[in-house]
Amino acid sequence: MTDPKKERPLAIDIPFDDALERFINTDPKEIEDVTDDEQTPEGEIELPKATHQGQMAIGDLLLDCYVLEDGRRVFHKRGMARALGLKSEGGNAFMKTMQGKGLGSGLPAKLQENINNPINFKPLTQDLAHGYEADVLAEVAKAIANADRDGKLSKQQHRLAVQAQILLSAFAKIGVVALIDEATGYQQIRDPKALRILVQQYIEDEKREWEKQFPDSYYDDLNRIYGSKSLTQRSNGVVVQNRPQHFGNFTRTYVYHPLENGAVLEELDRINPKINSKGSRRARFHQHLTEGYGIEKLKRQVQEVQTLMAVSDTVTQFKKLFQKRFPQKGDQGDLLGE
């Protein structure tokens, strides 16, 4: 007969009296010695879960990205292949490329270790996914650029260097973590101090040279929906495109104010204030925006506004469409004071 003292309590269907006897005669130390591995069935190790997910745009690329419950920002493994422009977008293609001749020998040991050990996690829409922390993509891009500089890449691998430069340019001003936070919506629940950091991602340290950011068609559309002439004649007889002062108010309200719900505009007002009673400023607002992030966000908003103007016959109709397109922005018409 089996000694009950050497038996651990079992979750089986036995009479209550027998179960009670086993419990009484079991040494507590034996219960405490049961390890987590023994309690967790094989294959059921709990994976870190994603709390936010989205798609990060880099040019024409859309990369699946996630924020895990422990705060790690992660790219899907197949996105790493897509980011490098590989013909096969499978995760194994990425790992194989990184281990290839020339490139593999130039990767730092720590980066090689990270590549060979992807993170298993649970996305919002799947049971399992494999990925890498965001910094791995940035480090891979640097490693490829360095390998290209040192002449280690083959002719066939040159396209990797081109794509690496695109990635490095995208990450130069803002950083990959901030881009993921924006793509997944995680920035909405970050510490309030993060808003200041986010605004600084738009602002250039030094004023850039003036470059045209608003196409002539933008002002043609404005003249049309306001019912004004597209051309006007100056006192010296020169005919120019009509751009009355209230167009500036329109641009302020519908192009600049939506950038982080007015926070960017507030900073631009601070660093580029009015210098006279006419409302003149030392520079155009867009001259203070970063090339890699702020200008791209501005262009996107200009395009949004032009799309709405194109399907509007009047400024009143535009405002209604704008409110429908951006329902969380508040009553933008009131900002014009018209």
Side-chain angles (χ1 to χ4, degrees):
M1 187 175 180
T2 304
D3 185 351
K5 290 185 179 181
K6 293 184 179 180
E7 284 286 307
R8 290 174 177 169
L10 301 174
I12 57 176
D13 187 14
I14 60 176
F16 175 77
D17 290 340
D18 290 345
L20 179 61
E21 182 180 0
R22 288 193 181 191
F23 177 77
I24 293 173
N25 289 290
T26 298
D27 189 339
K29 292 182 179 179
E30 291 185 327
I31 299 177
E32 293 172 358
D33 286 339
V34 179
T35 65
D36 290 339
D37 290 338
E38 290 173 318
Q39 294 181 47
T40 304
E42 186 177 356
E44 294 185 15
I45 298 175
E46 190 166 350
L47 300 176
K49 298 176 182 177
T51 59
H52 296 73
Q53 70 183 50
Q55 289 188 315
M56 189 181 86
I58 300 179
D60 295 332
L61 292 174
L62 288 176
L63 306 182
D64 295 329
C65 52
Y66 311 82
V67 178
L68 304 186
E69 57 190 347
D70 58 10
R72 284 180 291 178
R73 278 71 162 182
V74 174
F75 282 118
H76 199 290
K77 188 163 71 169
R78 64 169 175 260
M80 305 290 279
R82 188 178 303 150
L84 296 177
L86 301 180
K87 292 181 180 179
S88 172
E89 295 184 354
N92 291 335
F94 165 71
M95 298 181 73
K96 184 177 179 180
T97 300
M98 291 299 99
Q99 296 167 353
K101 185 178 180 181
L103 180 57
S105 61
L107 297 180
K110 181 61 177 177
L111 180 56
Q112 287 181 333
E113 181 182 349
N114 289 335
I115 291 172
N116 293 332
N117 294 280
I119 299 168
N120 298 325
F121 66 98
K122 183 176 175 59
L124 298 181
T125 54
Q126 296 173 243
D127 291 333
L128 175 65
H130 308 282
Y132 295 96
E133 287 197 59
D135 288 346
V136 171
L137 180 55
E139 290 173 10
V140 163
K142 291 178 184 177
I144 293 174
N146 290 338
D148 183 53
R149 181 198 61 200
D150 297 339
K152 294 182 178 180
L153 298 186
S154 66
K155 194 172 183 179
Q156 292 76 15
Q157 292 176 323
H158 179 67
R159 69 182 188 279
L160 296 177
V162 174
Q163 198 62 27
Q165 287 300 330
I166 293 174
L167 295 173
L168 291 174
S169 296
F171 302 155
K173 283 289 182 182
I174 174 172
V176 62
V177 169
L179 286 171
I180 288 181
D181 287 357
E182 178 186 359
T184 61
Y186 186 66
Q187 66 182 30
Q188 303 299 327
I189 66 167
R190 293 183 304 192
D191 189 290
K193 294 179 182 177
L195 177 60
R196 181 64 184 171
I197 298 174
L198 181 62
V199 169
Q200 286 305 312
Q201 294 158 10
Y202 285 83
I203 306 301
E204 188 66 86
D205 293 334
E206 297 181 4
K207 184 182 69 175
R208 294 185 300 103
E209 292 298 317
W210 183 86
E211 294 178 14
K212 192 171 185 176
Q213 299 299 336
F214 290 81
D216 291 341
S217 58
Y218 172 82
Y219 296 101
D220 287 339
D221 284 336
L222 275 176
N223 278 304
R224 181 180 56 79
I225 66 174
Y226 271 100
S228 52
K229 295 180 180 180
S230 60
L231 299 176
T232 187
Q233 189 174 27
R234 291 177 176 172
S235 58
N236 60 3
V238 176
V239 177
V240 296
Q241 190 175 41
N242 187 30
R243 300 184 183 183
Q245 187 174 3
H246 63 266
F247 282 9
N249 292 335
F250 180 98
T251 299
R252 178 183 177 89
T253 300
Y254 297 107
V255 176
Y256 283 103
H257 188 274
L259 302 179
E260 305 308 327
N261 202 26
V264 174
L265 182 59
E266 182 180 350
E267 179 66 7
L268 290 172
D269 278 331
R270 186 188 70 81
I271 64 176
N272 187 33
K274 295 178 181 179
I275 58 175
N276 55 39
S277 59
K278 294 181 180 180
S280 301
R281 301 175 190 267
R282 297 188 183 280
R284 303 288 180 88
F285 274 166
H286 62 73
Q287 289 180 263
H288 290 280
L289 297 180
T290 54
E291 187 71 39
Y293 187 77
I295 289 294
E296 292 305 313
K297 297 286 283 189
L298 176 69
K299 288 180 178 178
R300 195 180 305 174
Q301 186 62 22
V302 169
Q303 186 176 29
E304 289 269 15
V305 169
Q306 281 203 266
T307 299
L308 296 178
M309 286 197 290
V311 295
S312 302
D313 295 322
T314 65
V315 68
T316 300
Q317 187 177 4
F318 167 83
K319 291 178 182 180
K320 290 180 180 178
L321 291 175
F322 187 90
Q323 286 299 105
K324 189 173 183 179
R325 175 66 180 86
F326 299 100
Q328 302 301 316
K329 300 298 182 183
D331 189 1
Q332 298 291 339
D334 289 346
L335 295 174
L336 280 173
E338 297 181 345

